[in-house]
Amino acid sequence: MAPFRLSRIYRRTALIRITYAHHFAALAALGMAPERWPWIAAALAANHLVIGASGLIPRCRWLGPNLTRLPAGTPPAVALTFDDGPDPEVTPRVLDLLDERGARASFFVIGRRVEAYPELAAEIHRRGHTVENHTYRHRHDFSLRGPRALDREVRSAQEAIA
């Protein structure tokens, strides 16, 4: 499998480009004046706060474009998503309720739960819903891990789902 490259589908925004420059400048400043590390660390922390806040504001485009409306001509729709399954008690009941109403949903599943309940993940798909990747273990510190750990979590979940 070829490695996923974000740059193929996403052009970095000004905030991301500024962040890269900010980090390189901080590294250079640290090399020239290591005694100023508290100020350098504070500047980096402020940059990260801006990035984090912009990711929490629904219409903020600082990290990239957001789809806030359906394209013209698209019938009105509501997206239903269910996370952290499959669960042997909850998932079958949710599937039955969706069937009764003729609705489709996306199930964001955890890879190790898919391995524990493969027949349930297959049933989600068989009933016409999408099965999406919610990482392998769904660790709460996921965003704090390095690129290799992130790749391992996503790839392992994808293998379990496949």
Side-chain angles (χ1 to χ4, degrees), residues 6 14 17 20 27 29-30 40 43 52 65 77 81 83-84 95 103 108 117 129 141 156 162:
L6 184 61
R17 290 192 309 270
Y20 281 136
L27 186 60
L30 190 59
I40 296 167
T81 64
D83 293 357
D84 303 344
L95 289 172
F108 286 83
Y117 308 106
H129 307 284
D141 63 350
S156 296

Side-chain angles (χ1 to χ4, degrees), residues 4-62:
F4 175 76
R5 300 238 189 271
L6 184 61
S7 60
R8 288 183 190 162
I9 60 170
Y10 171 75
R11 186 173 178 275
R12 288 177 183 86
T13 64
L15 177 60
I16 299 301
R17 290 192 309 270
I18 290 167
T19 295
Y20 281 136
H22 190 77
H23 280 72
F24 286 122
L27 186 60
L30 190 59
M32 291 187 296
E35 69 280 358
R36 298 210 173 165
W37 73 264
W39 290 100
I40 296 167
L44 289 173
N47 176 253
H48 285 252
L49 284 172
V50 169
I51 291 171
S54 64
L56 296 173
I57 301 169
R59 294 182 190 261
C60 182
R61 295 175 182 239
W62 291 355

Side-chain angles (χ1 to χ4, degrees), residues 72-128:
T74 305
V78 173
L80 294 175
T81 64
F82 297 93
D83 293 357
D84 303 344
D87 180 273
E89 290 184 34
V90 175
T91 302
R93 295 192 335 234
V94 169
L95 289 172
D96 291 342
L97 287 170
L98 290 169
D99 281 350
E100 287 173 17
R101 288 158 178 83
R104 295 292 163 258
S106 294
F107 287 77
F108 286 83
V109 297
I110 298 171
R112 69 179 182 179
R113 294 188 68 99
V114 169
E115 288 177 346
Y117 308 106
E119 69 290 340
L120 212 43
E123 182 67 10
I124 293 169
H125 183 267
R126 189 188 68 71
R127 293 201 197 186

